[in-house]
Amino acid sequence: MKKLFCLIAVFITSIILFSCTSMPSSARDRILILDGISISETAFGGVERWYAVDKYNYDSFVDEVRFQVGYFKENNIGFVLYGNGTEGEEAYFSRQGLDLRWDWGSYSRDGSDRFRYSFVIEPDGTGLYYDFSTSTDGTSKPRGIYKVRKF
């Protein structure tokens, strides 16, 4: 009788653990804090998200999430989240050819509105981070290269 009780308990526990770990992360309803404003991931039809890890990290078996990017499905509102967290900044999301692009941190230089930062995901999963804050002509080489994976 004890063995049967233990088997049933192990079976129920394993079902509960399996259902929790197999739930896709996009099915969770996280609350994002973008520029200090809380918004649910299910708002505006839900989100599509990617996470970025170091492209050339050969010293570790576990990739550390450097940041996340995503967008709300029903509009072009994107976001950049710091690390593996839920806080970050609102960004303008666009698709340019096959590339996905996020622009944020707007500022005005010589009367023209520009973005300080951009992140581009290329079709092969390479992510390129650009910092235009020190650029005088609006161009920049990538300051960071990442491997990007979709959640």
Side-chain angles (χ1 to χ4, degrees):
M1 189 68 168
K2 261 186 173 179
K3 286 185 180 181
L4 180 61
F5 179 75
C6 287
L7 283 173
I8 292 172
V10 168
F11 178 72
I12 291 172
T13 304
S14 64
I15 288 175
I16 291 169
L17 289 175
F18 178 75
S19 66
C20 290
T21 58
S22 65
M23 182 188 323
S25 59
S26 62
R28 288 187 257 154
D29 185 17
R30 300 186 318 165
I31 300 298
L32 305 180
I33 301 170
L34 305 176
D35 298 322
I37 299 171
S38 298
I39 186 166
S40 169
E41 280 190 333
T42 58
F44 306 110
V47 298
E48 295 285 331
R49 284 189 294 139
W50 292 260
Y51 64 96
V53 297
D54 291 332
K55 176 105 175 160
Y56 303 105
N57 183 9
Y58 297 108
D59 298 334
S60 174
F61 291 108
V62 179
D63 291 327
E64 180 181 345
V65 175
R66 296 296 181 190
F67 58 93
Q68 304 165 63
V69 292
Y71 66 92
F72 291 93
K73 293 178 183 179
E74 292 182 359
N75 56 33
N76 288 337
I77 297 174
F79 53 85
V80 178
L81 303 176
Y82 310 121
N84 201 19
T86 58
E87 292 188 39
E89 298 184 44
E90 183 180 326
Y92 175 75
F93 168 76
S94 63
R95 187 178 301 268
Q96 298 180 345
L98 297 177
D99 294 342
L100 304 175
R101 183 182 179 110
W102 289 261
D103 296 293
W104 71 100
S106 63
Y107 70 103
S108 181
R109 177 177 285 180
D110 301 332
S112 62
D113 289 332
R114 297 183 182 184
F115 290 106
R116 289 184 194 268
Y117 312 105
S118 292
F119 186 72
V120 176
I121 299 177
E122 296 178 330
D124 68 354
T126 299
L128 303 170
Y129 166 67
Y130 296 91
D131 180 349
F132 300 104
S133 62
T134 59
S135 173
T136 57
D137 64 356
T139 63
S140 176
K141 292 183 179 183
R143 288 203 46 206
I145 301 175
Y146 300 89
K147 290 186 291 189
V148 181
R149 297 183 185 116
K150 191 170 184 179
F151 277 93

